[in-house]
Amino acid sequence: MRIFETKKELQDYLETARINKQKIALIPTMGALHEGHISLLNYAKPLSDVTVCSIFVNPTQFNDPKDLEKYPRPIEHDIALLKAAHCDVLFLPTVEEMYPDPNEKWHIDLNGLDAIWEGEMRPGHFQGVTQVVYKLFALVQPDIACFGQKDFQQVMVIEHMIKVKQLPITIALCPIIRDENGLALSSRNMRLSSNGKIQALALSKTLLYIKNNFGKIPLLQLNKQATELLNSSEGITLEYLAICETTTLKEIKTIEQDKQYVALVTARVEDVRLIDNMILN
Ligand code: PAF
């Protein structure tokens, strides 16, 4: 695996790949890699000739400086995982490399997608995400970019940016990887005790309950039952639970035949903020 720390090195390498008409896949990450990230790489492999994984803990998407400081950075472990998974290129830039101008201002109209759910809880978060993803897209110019369904709202935001900026990039929405009990894999799970991991299962169980009863129980009642299920689960502090249309992420009152729906949930367990979701139809 080639490791590049500068934009120049990366661009020189990818230029040759492009001249040779090779397909490039990008897997943007913030490191602390686990099986979920490796599944994105495995998804990209058969669809591309060169896989580029980036590891960059992006400061502009953290609204709490303590969260940024606490973010795990097990780089040696990450490099070993990527090598074992046969990643071709790792891009590992510094903050100065990605943001040479510390006063850089950024705003993209995300049609309100950045003001609801995760966006409401973490103001500025999705502007930060689009900022860094746009920079990575411009640098790598991938044919395909892979993102995990676990951050469903993030993928919708990036899809929206691609549409607005008319970027010739295909987004792959890769399935959530869960442990054997159903807990969605996340870098944050390493901050949970083994009891916390058991308590956190209430999230995926509730989402499954919604999926199994979607279209069978009136929506309002289904939402109420699912909320009660979570609120009565030990160790869970619910932030939000919603049944939404997938592209606008607006909460729905009725089900329409030709639309797709998703249930979104965010809760704290042992003060660790966990998010999960399930596509319902
Ligand atoms: O999902 C993440 O890890 C980050 O939000 C991303 C897409 C790498 C941008 O920093």
Side-chain angles (χ1 to χ4, degrees), residues 59 62-71 73:
F62 287 82
N63 42 344
D64 179 354
K66 277 198 224 111
D67 236 17
L68 172 62
E69 209 179 294
K70 273 195 303 198
Y71 203 85
R73 291 165 172 88

Side-chain angles (χ1 to χ4, degrees), residues 28-30 58 61 129 132-133 147 151 154:
T29 82
M30 296 208 300
N58 174 36
Q61 71 189 73
V129 169
V132 77
V133 172
F147 293 90
D151 294 301
Q154 167 168 280

